Amino acid sequence: MKAKWIIISAGVLVIAGAMPWVTGYVTEQQWQKVTRELNQSQQFVQMQTADYRRGFFSAELDGTVTVFNPEDGETYPIEYRASVTHGITGSYMDFEPVEGWSPEGADWFQERPRLTLESRLWGTAALELEAPAIAINNPESGESLRTSGGVARIEISDSGSQADALAVWPQLSLTGPDMNIRINDFRIEQSMAHLDGDVWTGTMEASVASVALASPGAPPVTLEDLLARSNTEASDDGQRLDSRLSVEAGQIQFEDQAYGPHKLAFALEDLDVASWSLLTTSMTELQGMALAPDAGSRESFERQMAAMGQVNTAMRSLAAAGFSIGFPEMTLDTPEGAVTGNLVISHPELSEDQKADMLMVMQQLTGEMNVSVPAVLVEDYPVLRMQLAPLVKQGMLVPEGDRLVLAAKLNDMVVDVNGREIPLPPLL
């Protein structure tokens, strides 16, 4: 019996001793797979691994991250190195730019930032950035950036189908000749689960305690208790999708006055998941083609036209399946009273015969829009009065008590605004 346990213990020790090598091998394969999928999914950030030197208990790798700026078409390569430590069940990777975290001659950080990736054999990974206090000055523009220390972390599990992210930054300030901005207590949490194609479900909550804006010659403005929430969930066995986003501000301080709360909500309801996935994928492909080096060639033009055809097909399928989109709630508080409104546009689900006869998306779109503005608000502010005067003159905004209101309905490609009918051109 004692010999049996000796043999088992020896086997366990052999397996445990070999595990770092197994972990290192799996880590290298996982790294190659992740970088390949990242490069294929978008064109803005590309990762190349120049050399991966794997040992028994550790490894080292060199590579380049290339960032593409779509505004000017320029690319910015950043060379990096990473040291990898192999454990029994996972690996720990520590990244560092080859040229350092700050440009030559600059001292941006009080301490060295840490960018690490912790992975496990069963397919989970955690990428974390620990940033110390930052101080960046630009003598040429007169701008400066100051931040406290902060942390950003994303955990990926279920072979990439589940992701949880967290970022916390207590303070951030940007000063310049034209504007000073100070942000306090920024925090964002997000949880996502892959549904289909480019479609994800989950929740997000982002908050900021305050944002202070100051510029020469203008009164300071402070926004307090900012909160953004989103929730996306699937129904009908993953065939339908509902998504809602709300943005709130507790109050705004301006010229010794404080008014609030303010809220704006956006909603997508009853979307067909397959059509929505095809639409988002086609739009991403179309955007990528426009940024490609051969964007002006005939071949690129033909690919773009094919992608546009996919976008049109996806939009028709999405409409035929039925959906609703809009801003179900808008409330902006002012010293003169609240500005309220809502906007909802929907399309009914069509039968197979109706889909065959469908010529345009707009044919069966229906909608409703309501806006209510305090009349005194228009009277007291000349700039706003100049903007809204044409709408009042045309009957788009009509008096109703002490308010100006707009009530519009869409049906049969005609918008009825306060009793005035406006035909719509066949755009979709």
Side-chain angles (χ1 to χ4, degrees), residues 88-129:
I88 295 178
T89 62
S91 296
Y92 185 83
M93 307 175 74
D94 192 348
F95 296 86
E96 183 176 11
V98 172
E99 297 183 359
W101 291 97
S102 304
E104 185 177 357
D107 187 16
W108 289 357
F109 303 97
Q110 295 181 358
E111 301 176 6
R112 174 185 176 273
R114 290 186 61 85
L115 178 62
T116 61
L117 175 64
E118 187 175 1
S119 63
R120 291 285 179 255
L121 290 176
W122 47 86
T124 64
L127 179 66
E128 182 171 283
L129 170 65

mmCIF file of all heavy atoms in Angstrom, residues 88-129:
data_model
loop_
_atom_site.group_PDB
_atom_site.id
_atom_site.type_symbol
_atom_site.label_atom_id
_atom_site.label_comp_id
_atom_site.label_asym_id
_atom_site.label_seq_id
_atom_site.Cartn_x
_atom_site.Cartn_y
_atom_site.Cartn_z
ATOM 1 N N ILE A 88 1.453 26.922 -12.745
ATOM 2 C CA ILE A 88 0.876 25.594 -12.938
ATOM 3 C C ILE A 88 -0.433 25.672 -13.719
ATOM 4 O O ILE A 88 -0.722 24.825 -14.568
ATOM 5 C CB ILE A 88 0.655 24.913 -11.570
ATOM 6 C CG1 ILE A 88 1.999 24.666 -10.890
ATOM 7 C CG2 ILE A 88 -0.091 23.595 -11.739
ATOM 8 C CD1 ILE A 88 1.888 24.039 -9.519
ATOM 9 N N THR A 89 -1.237 26.705 -13.462
ATOM 10 C CA THR A 89 -2.546 26.815 -14.127
ATOM 11 C C THR A 89 -2.662 28.030 -15.035
ATOM 12 O O THR A 89 -3.708 28.216 -15.668
ATOM 13 C CB THR A 89 -3.667 26.886 -13.079
ATOM 14 O OG1 THR A 89 -3.492 28.063 -12.270
ATOM 15 C CG2 THR A 89 -3.666 25.656 -12.204
ATOM 16 N N GLY A 90 -1.633 28.878 -15.111
ATOM 17 C CA GLY A 90 -1.755 30.063 -15.944
ATOM 18 C C GLY A 90 -0.442 30.796 -16.064
ATOM 19 O O GLY A 90 0.589 30.372 -15.525
ATOM 20 N N SER A 91 -0.490 31.915 -16.795
ATOM 21 C CA SER A 91 0.705 32.711 -17.039
ATOM 22 C C SER A 91 0.447 34.175 -16.706
ATOM 23 O O SER A 91 -0.700 34.635 -16.716
ATOM 24 C CB SER A 91 1.163 32.593 -18.497
ATOM 25 O OG SER A 91 1.553 31.273 -18.812
ATOM 26 N N TYR A 92 1.542 34.875 -16.431
ATOM 27 C CA TYR A 92 1.471 36.296 -16.081
ATOM 28 C C TYR A 92 2.400 37.049 -17.020
ATOM 29 O O TYR A 92 3.602 36.765 -17.081
ATOM 30 C CB TYR A 92 1.897 36.486 -14.624
ATOM 31 C CG TYR A 92 1.752 37.882 -14.104
ATOM 32 C CD1 TYR A 92 0.531 38.351 -13.633
ATOM 33 C CD2 TYR A 92 2.840 38.746 -14.066
ATOM 34 C CE1 TYR A 92 0.396 39.639 -13.128
ATOM 35 C CE2 TYR A 92 2.717 40.024 -13.569
ATOM 36 C CZ TYR A 92 1.495 40.473 -13.099
ATOM 37 O OH TYR A 92 1.369 41.743 -12.613
ATOM 38 N N MET A 93 1.849 38.017 -17.776
ATOM 39 C CA MET A 93 2.620 38.765 -18.771
ATOM 40 C C MET A 93 2.704 40.220 -18.338
ATOM 41 O O MET A 93 1.698 40.838 -17.985
ATOM 42 C CB MET A 93 1.957 38.660 -20.151
ATOM 43 C CG MET A 93 1.683 37.235 -20.595
ATOM 44 S SD MET A 93 0.783 37.117 -22.161
ATOM 45 C CE MET A 93 2.083 37.573 -23.314
ATOM 46 N N ASP A 94 3.901 40.771 -18.381
ATOM 47 C CA ASP A 94 4.153 42.165 -17.997
ATOM 48 C C ASP A 94 4.692 42.908 -19.218
ATOM 49 O O ASP A 94 5.761 42.577 -19.731
ATOM 50 C CB ASP A 94 5.169 42.205 -16.851
ATOM 51 C CG ASP A 94 5.259 43.583 -16.205
ATOM 52 O OD1 ASP A 94 4.716 44.543 -16.785
ATOM 53 O OD2 ASP A 94 5.869 43.706 -15.128
ATOM 54 N N PHE A 95 3.928 43.922 -19.699
ATOM 55 C CA PHE A 95 4.272 44.633 -20.934
ATOM 56 C C PHE A 95 4.944 45.967 -20.625
ATOM 57 O O PHE A 95 4.652 46.609 -19.611
ATOM 58 C CB PHE A 95 3.010 44.894 -21.766
ATOM 59 C CG PHE A 95 2.326 43.654 -22.259
ATOM 60 C CD1 PHE A 95 1.399 42.994 -21.467
ATOM 61 C CD2 PHE A 95 2.620 43.142 -23.510
ATOM 62 C CE1 PHE A 95 0.766 41.853 -21.918
ATOM 63 C CE2 PHE A 95 1.988 42.001 -23.978
ATOM 64 C CZ PHE A 95 1.063 41.355 -23.179
ATOM 65 N N GLU A 96 5.816 46.391 -21.569
ATOM 66 C CA GLU A 96 6.475 47.688 -21.430
ATOM 67 C C GLU A 96 6.887 48.178 -22.821
ATOM 68 O O GLU A 96 7.418 47.405 -23.627
ATOM 69 C CB GLU A 96 7.708 47.582 -20.537
ATOM 70 C CG GLU A 96 8.387 48.917 -20.293
ATOM 71 C CD GLU A 96 9.555 48.795 -19.324
ATOM 72 O OE1 GLU A 96 9.953 47.651 -19.026
ATOM 73 O OE2 GLU A 96 10.081 49.835 -18.907
ATOM 74 N N PRO A 97 6.629 49.473 -23.149
ATOM 75 C CA PRO A 97 7.095 50.016 -24.426
ATOM 76 C C PRO A 97 8.625 49.996 -24.486
ATOM 77 O O PRO A 97 9.296 50.263 -23.482
ATOM 78 C CB PRO A 97 6.565 51.461 -24.421
ATOM 79 C CG PRO A 97 5.456 51.462 -23.413
ATOM 80 C CD PRO A 97 5.839 50.445 -22.386
ATOM 81 N N VAL A 98 9.163 49.688 -25.653
ATOM 82 C CA VAL A 98 10.611 49.613 -25.804
ATOM 83 C C VAL A 98 11.257 50.959 -25.523
ATOM 84 O O VAL A 98 12.318 51.055 -24.890
ATOM 85 C CB VAL A 98 10.969 49.120 -27.221
ATOM 86 C CG1 VAL A 98 12.477 49.214 -27.468
ATOM 87 C CG2 VAL A 98 10.500 47.684 -27.407
ATOM 88 N N GLU A 99 10.631 52.051 -25.968
ATOM 89 C CA GLU A 99 11.180 53.387 -25.782
ATOM 90 C C GLU A 99 10.714 54.033 -24.480
ATOM 91 O O GLU A 99 10.912 55.236 -24.283
ATOM 92 C CB GLU A 99 10.801 54.277 -26.968
ATOM 93 C CG GLU A 99 11.373 53.788 -28.289
ATOM 94 C CD GLU A 99 11.045 54.716 -29.438
ATOM 95 O OE1 GLU A 99 10.351 55.740 -29.203
ATOM 96 O OE2 GLU A 99 11.502 54.441 -30.568
ATOM 97 N N GLY A 100 10.084 53.247 -23.602
ATOM 98 C CA GLY A 100 9.661 53.774 -22.315
ATOM 99 C C GLY A 100 8.253 54.336 -22.373
ATOM 100 O O GLY A 100 7.667 54.539 -23.439
ATOM 101 N N TRP A 101 7.708 54.620 -21.195
ATOM 102 C CA TRP A 101 6.348 55.125 -21.096
ATOM 103 C C TRP A 101 6.251 56.612 -21.429
ATOM 104 O O TRP A 101 5.169 57.115 -21.708
ATOM 105 C CB TRP A 101 5.802 54.868 -19.690
ATOM 106 C CG TRP A 101 5.560 53.427 -19.406
ATOM 107 C CD1 TRP A 101 6.394 52.556 -18.760
ATOM 108 C CD2 TRP A 101 4.417 52.657 -19.774
ATOM 109 N NE1 TRP A 101 5.849 51.298 -18.704
ATOM 110 C CE2 TRP A 101 4.620 51.333 -19.311
ATOM 111 C CE3 TRP A 101 3.225 52.954 -20.443
ATOM 112 C CZ2 TRP A 101 3.689 50.316 -19.494
ATOM 113 C CZ3 TRP A 101 2.294 51.940 -20.619
ATOM 114 C CH2 TRP A 101 2.518 50.649 -20.162
ATOM 115 N N SER A 102 7.332 57.323 -21.383
ATOM 116 C CA SER A 102 7.350 58.755 -21.706
ATOM 117 C C SER A 102 8.320 59.007 -22.852
ATOM 118 O O SER A 102 9.291 58.250 -23.025
ATOM 119 C CB SER A 102 7.777 59.581 -20.490
ATOM 120 O OG SER A 102 6.953 59.337 -19.377
ATOM 121 N N PRO A 103 8.087 60.053 -23.671
ATOM 122 C CA PRO A 103 9.051 60.388 -24.713
ATOM 123 C C PRO A 103 10.402 60.752 -24.108
ATOM 124 O O PRO A 103 10.497 61.100 -22.920
ATOM 125 C CB PRO A 103 8.402 61.598 -25.408
ATOM 126 C CG PRO A 103 6.964 61.541 -25.046
ATOM 127 C CD PRO A 103 6.903 60.909 -23.687
ATOM 128 N N GLU A 104 11.421 60.681 -24.924
ATOM 129 C CA GLU A 104 12.763 60.994 -24.445
ATOM 130 C C GLU A 104 12.828 62.430 -23.918
ATOM 131 O O GLU A 104 12.374 63.375 -24.573
ATOM 132 C CB GLU A 104 13.775 60.809 -25.582
ATOM 133 C CG GLU A 104 15.223 60.999 -25.146
ATOM 134 C CD GLU A 104 16.195 60.733 -26.285
ATOM 135 O OE1 GLU A 104 15.724 60.355 -27.377
ATOM 136 O OE2 GLU A 104 17.398 60.919 -26.072
ATOM 137 N N GLY A 105 13.355 62.577 -22.728
ATOM 138 C CA GLY A 105 13.473 63.894 -22.114
ATOM 139 C C GLY A 105 12.257 64.335 -21.335
ATOM 140 O O GLY A 105 12.285 65.374 -20.675
ATOM 141 N N ALA A 106 11.171 63.562 -21.370
ATOM 142 C CA ALA A 106 9.948 63.915 -20.642
ATOM 143 C C ALA A 106 9.811 63.037 -19.409
ATOM 144 O O ALA A 106 10.330 61.923 -19.352
ATOM 145 C CB ALA A 106 8.720 63.762 -21.537
ATOM 146 N N ASP A 107 9.090 63.551 -18.425
ATOM 147 C CA ASP A 107 8.850 62.815 -17.189
ATOM 148 C C ASP A 107 7.368 62.917 -16.872
ATOM 149 O O ASP A 107 6.934 63.756 -16.091
ATOM 150 C CB ASP A 107 9.699 63.396 -16.057
ATOM 151 C CG ASP A 107 9.601 62.554 -14.788
ATOM 152 O OD1 ASP A 107 9.135 61.407 -14.896
ATOM 153 O OD2 ASP A 107 9.967 63.048 -13.716
ATOM 154 N N TRP A 108 6.577 62.052 -17.499
ATOM 155 C CA TRP A 108 5.129 62.124 -17.362
ATOM 156 C C TRP A 108 4.610 61.475 -16.092
ATOM 157 O O TRP A 108 3.592 61.895 -15.553
ATOM 158 C CB TRP A 108 4.463 61.445 -18.567
ATOM 159 C CG TRP A 108 4.603 62.206 -19.850
ATOM 160 C CD1 TRP A 108 5.203 63.423 -20.022
ATOM 161 C CD2 TRP A 108 4.136 61.802 -21.143
ATOM 162 N NE1 TRP A 108 5.137 63.806 -21.330
ATOM 163 C CE2 TRP A 108 4.490 62.830 -22.045
ATOM 164 C CE3 TRP A 108 3.469 60.687 -21.614
ATOM 165 C CZ2 TRP A 108 4.172 62.763 -23.401
ATOM 166 C CZ3 TRP A 108 3.155 60.606 -22.964
ATOM 167 C CH2 TRP A 108 3.501 61.641 -23.850
ATOM 168 N N PHE A 109 5.286 60.447 -15.601
ATOM 169 C CA PHE A 109 4.748 59.634 -14.523
ATOM 170 C C PHE A 109 5.621 59.743 -13.276
ATOM 171 O O PHE A 109 6.851 59.772 -13.372
ATOM 172 C CB PHE A 109 4.660 58.158 -14.947
ATOM 173 C CG PHE A 109 3.841 57.941 -16.194
ATOM 174 C CD1 PHE A 109 4.454 57.837 -17.434
ATOM 175 C CD2 PHE A 109 2.465 57.835 -16.119
ATOM 176 C CE1 PHE A 109 3.715 57.633 -18.578
ATOM 177 C CE2 PHE A 109 1.713 57.626 -17.253
ATOM 178 C CZ PHE A 109 2.333 57.530 -18.486
ATOM 179 N N GLN A 110 4.967 59.775 -12.111
ATOM 180 C CA GLN A 110 5.695 59.756 -10.856
ATOM 181 C C GLN A 110 6.278 58.373 -10.585
ATOM 182 O O GLN A 110 7.328 58.247 -9.959
ATOM 183 C CB GLN A 110 4.766 60.171 -9.710
ATOM 184 C CG GLN A 110 4.282 61.616 -9.801
ATOM 185 C CD GLN A 110 3.388 61.986 -8.634
ATOM 186 O OE1 GLN A 110 3.084 61.167 -7.769
ATOM 187 N NE2 GLN A 110 2.946 63.240 -8.612
ATOM 188 N N GLU A 111 5.577 57.339 -11.041
ATOM 189 C CA GLU A 111 6.044 55.969 -10.921
ATOM 190 C C GLU A 111 5.852 55.261 -12.255
ATOM 191 O O GLU A 111 5.200 55.778 -13.152
ATOM 192 C CB GLU A 111 5.272 55.223 -9.816
ATOM 193 C CG GLU A 111 5.387 55.845 -8.442
ATOM 194 C CD GLU A 111 4.529 55.120 -7.424
ATOM 195 O OE1 GLU A 111 3.956 54.070 -7.785
ATOM 196 O OE2 GLU A 111 4.420 55.605 -6.296
ATOM 197 N N ARG A 112 6.396 54.062 -12.377
ATOM 198 C CA ARG A 112 6.265 53.294 -13.612
ATOM 199 C C ARG A 112 4.867 52.694 -13.712
ATOM 200 O O ARG A 112 4.408 52.004 -12.804
ATOM 201 C CB ARG A 112 7.301 52.174 -13.638
ATOM 202 C CG ARG A 112 7.159 51.223 -14.832
ATOM 203 C CD ARG A 112 8.150 50.087 -14.697
ATOM 204 N NE ARG A 112 7.986 49.102 -15.756
ATOM 205 C CZ ARG A 112 7.147 48.078 -15.719
ATOM 206 N NH1 ARG A 112 6.369 47.917 -14.661
ATOM 207 N NH2 ARG A 112 7.074 47.224 -16.726
ATOM 208 N N PRO A 113 4.146 52.946 -14.818
ATOM 209 C CA PRO A 113 2.854 52.264 -15.023
ATOM 210 C C PRO A 113 3.061 50.761 -15.178
ATOM 211 O O PRO A 113 4.149 50.302 -15.540
ATOM 212 C CB PRO A 113 2.325 52.889 -16.325
ATOM 213 C CG PRO A 113 3.097 54.151 -16.499
ATOM 214 C CD PRO A 113 4.445 53.896 -15.892
ATOM 215 N N ARG A 114 1.999 50.009 -14.916
ATOM 216 C CA ARG A 114 2.068 48.562 -15.068
ATOM 217 C C ARG A 114 0.910 48.105 -15.952
ATOM 218 O O ARG A 114 -0.262 48.383 -15.658
ATOM 219 C CB ARG A 114 2.000 47.860 -13.716
ATOM 220 C CG ARG A 114 3.240 48.057 -12.857
ATOM 221 C CD ARG A 114 3.165 47.207 -11.592
ATOM 222 N NE ARG A 114 3.098 45.780 -11.908
ATOM 223 C CZ ARG A 114 4.153 45.011 -12.128
ATOM 224 N NH1 ARG A 114 5.370 45.539 -12.098
ATOM 225 N NH2 ARG A 114 4.020 43.725 -12.378
ATOM 226 N N LEU A 115 1.259 47.416 -17.038
ATOM 227 C CA LEU A 115 0.277 46.816 -17.931
ATOM 228 C C LEU A 115 0.526 45.318 -17.930
ATOM 229 O O LEU A 115 1.563 44.851 -18.405
ATOM 230 C CB LEU A 115 0.404 47.393 -19.347
ATOM 231 C CG LEU A 115 -0.548 46.810 -20.387
ATOM 232 C CD1 LEU A 115 -2.001 47.095 -20.004
ATOM 233 C CD2 LEU A 115 -0.251 47.378 -21.772
ATOM 234 N N THR A 116 -0.418 44.558 -17.381
ATOM 235 C CA THR A 116 -0.222 43.125 -17.215
ATOM 236 C C THR A 116 -1.396 42.349 -17.786
ATOM 237 O O THR A 116 -2.514 42.858 -17.895
ATOM 238 C CB THR A 116 -0.055 42.768 -15.724
ATOM 239 O OG1 THR A 116 -1.240 43.149 -15.008
ATOM 240 C CG2 THR A 116 1.144 43.485 -15.131
ATOM 241 N N LEU A 117 -1.118 41.108 -18.135
ATOM 242 C CA LEU A 117 -2.143 40.188 -18.626
ATOM 243 C C LEU A 117 -1.976 38.860 -17.890
ATOM 244 O O LEU A 117 -0.923 38.232 -17.971
ATOM 245 C CB LEU A 117 -2.013 39.981 -20.132
ATOM 246 C CG LEU A 117 -2.958 38.939 -20.754
ATOM 247 C CD1 LEU A 117 -4.412 39.383 -20.598
ATOM 248 C CD2 LEU A 117 -2.627 38.718 -22.229
ATOM 249 N N GLU A 118 -3.014 38.465 -17.170
ATOM 250 C CA GLU A 118 -3.001 37.198 -16.438
ATOM 251 C C GLU A 118 -3.972 36.238 -17.114
ATOM 252 O O GLU A 118 -5.156 36.550 -17.258
ATOM 253 C CB GLU A 118 -3.398 37.427 -14.981
ATOM 254 C CG GLU A 118 -3.248 36.190 -14.112
ATOM 255 C CD GLU A 118 -3.531 36.486 -12.654
ATOM 256 O OE1 GLU A 118 -3.868 37.646 -12.337
ATOM 257 O OE2 GLU A 118 -3.413 35.550 -11.829
ATOM 258 N N SER A 119 -3.483 35.084 -17.553
ATOM 259 C CA SER A 119 -4.315 34.126 -18.285
ATOM 260 C C SER A 119 -4.352 32.795 -17.547
ATOM 261 O O SER A 119 -3.454 32.468 -16.760
ATOM 262 C CB SER A 119 -3.785 33.924 -19.708
ATOM 263 O OG SER A 119 -2.479 33.356 -19.683
ATOM 264 N N ARG A 120 -5.405 32.022 -17.850
ATOM 265 C CA ARG A 120 -5.581 30.702 -17.266
ATOM 266 C C ARG A 120 -5.756 29.663 -18.379
ATOM 267 O O ARG A 120 -6.215 29.988 -19.477
ATOM 268 C CB ARG A 120 -6.802 30.673 -16.340
ATOM 269 C CG ARG A 120 -6.608 31.497 -15.079
ATOM 270 C CD ARG A 120 -5.686 30.770 -14.104
ATOM 271 N NE ARG A 120 -5.456 31.535 -12.877
ATOM 272 C CZ ARG A 120 -4.345 32.186 -12.600
ATOM 273 N NH1 ARG A 120 -3.348 32.173 -13.478
ATOM 274 N NH2 ARG A 120 -4.199 32.831 -11.463
ATOM 275 N N LEU A 121 -5.399 28.423 -18.081
ATOM 276 C CA LEU A 121 -5.473 27.363 -19.081
ATOM 277 C C LEU A 121 -6.890 27.147 -19.580
ATOM 278 O O LEU A 121 -7.098 26.736 -20.728
ATOM 279 C CB LEU A 121 -4.929 26.053 -18.498
ATOM 280 C CG LEU A 121 -3.417 25.992 -18.236
ATOM 281 C CD1 LEU A 121 -3.071 24.673 -17.572
ATOM 282 C CD2 LEU A 121 -2.641 26.164 -19.534
ATOM 283 N N TRP A 122 -7.900 27.395 -18.750
ATOM 284 C CA TRP A 122 -9.281 27.128 -19.148
ATOM 285 C C TRP A 122 -9.908 28.285 -19.931
ATOM 286 O O TRP A 122 -11.105 28.319 -20.150
ATOM 287 C CB TRP A 122 -10.132 26.805 -17.927
ATOM 288 C CG TRP A 122 -9.958 27.744 -16.779
ATOM 289 C CD1 TRP A 122 -10.602 28.924 -16.559
ATOM 290 C CD2 TRP A 122 -9.075 27.572 -15.676
ATOM 291 N NE1 TRP A 122 -10.171 29.505 -15.392
ATOM 292 C CE2 TRP A 122 -9.238 28.686 -14.819
ATOM 293 C CE3 TRP A 122 -8.154 26.573 -15.317
ATOM 294 C CZ2 TRP A 122 -8.515 28.837 -13.641
ATOM 295 C CZ3 TRP A 122 -7.431 26.743 -14.140
ATOM 296 C CH2 TRP A 122 -7.618 27.847 -13.314
ATOM 297 N N GLY A 123 -9.088 29.252 -20.358
ATOM 298 C CA GLY A 123 -9.567 30.248 -21.304
ATOM 299 C C GLY A 123 -9.973 31.583 -20.726
ATOM 300 O O GLY A 123 -10.610 32.376 -21.427
ATOM 301 N N THR A 124 -9.640 31.881 -19.476
ATOM 302 C CA THR A 124 -9.937 33.186 -18.911
ATOM 303 C C THR A 124 -8.675 34.045 -18.921
ATOM 304 O O THR A 124 -7.552 33.525 -18.877
ATOM 305 C CB THR A 124 -10.465 33.064 -17.477
ATOM 306 O OG1 THR A 124 -9.434 32.521 -16.636
ATOM 307 C CG2 THR A 124 -11.690 32.173 -17.433
ATOM 308 N N ALA A 125 -8.875 35.357 -18.978
ATOM 309 C CA ALA A 125 -7.747 36.285 -18.995
ATOM 310 C C ALA A 125 -8.180 37.599 -18.376
ATOM 311 O O ALA A 125 -9.349 37.990 -18.460
ATOM 312 C CB ALA A 125 -7.240 36.500 -20.421
ATOM 313 N N ALA A 126 -7.224 38.302 -17.759
ATOM 314 C CA ALA A 126 -7.491 39.597 -17.137
ATOM 315 C C ALA A 126 -6.379 40.559 -17.547
ATOM 316 O O ALA A 126 -5.214 40.332 -17.233
ATOM 317 C CB ALA A 126 -7.574 39.473 -15.630
ATOM 318 N N LEU A 127 -6.752 41.611 -18.279
ATOM 319 C CA LEU A 127 -5.815 42.654 -18.690
ATOM 320 C C LEU A 127 -6.001 43.848 -17.758
ATOM 321 O O LEU A 127 -7.118 44.347 -17.607
ATOM 322 C CB LEU A 127 -6.075 43.063 -20.139
ATOM 323 C CG LEU A 127 -5.174 44.166 -20.709
ATOM 324 C CD1 LEU A 127 -3.733 43.676 -20.817
ATOM 325 C CD2 LEU A 127 -5.682 44.622 -22.071
ATOM 326 N N GLU A 128 -4.927 44.317 -17.146
ATOM 327 C CA GLU A 128 -5.043 45.382 -16.146
ATOM 328 C C GLU A 128 -3.962 46.441 -16.360
ATOM 329 O O GLU A 128 -2.789 46.117 -16.591
ATOM 330 C CB GLU A 128 -4.932 44.808 -14.739
ATOM 331 C CG GLU A 128 -5.094 45.847 -13.639
ATOM 332 C CD GLU A 128 -5.194 45.217 -12.263
ATOM 333 O OE1 GLU A 128 -6.274 44.700 -11.940
ATOM 334 O OE2 GLU A 128 -4.181 45.237 -11.539
ATOM 335 N N LEU A 129 -4.393 47.701 -16.289
ATOM 336 C CA LEU A 129 -3.476 48.835 -16.349
ATOM 337 C C LEU A 129 -3.540 49.575 -15.023
ATOM 338 O O LEU A 129 -4.595 50.043 -14.613
ATOM 339 C CB LEU A 129 -3.862 49.788 -17.486
ATOM 340 C CG LEU A 129 -3.115 51.137 -17.513
ATOM 341 C CD1 LEU A 129 -1.622 50.916 -17.769
ATOM 342 C CD2 LEU A 129 -3.711 52.075 -18.550
#
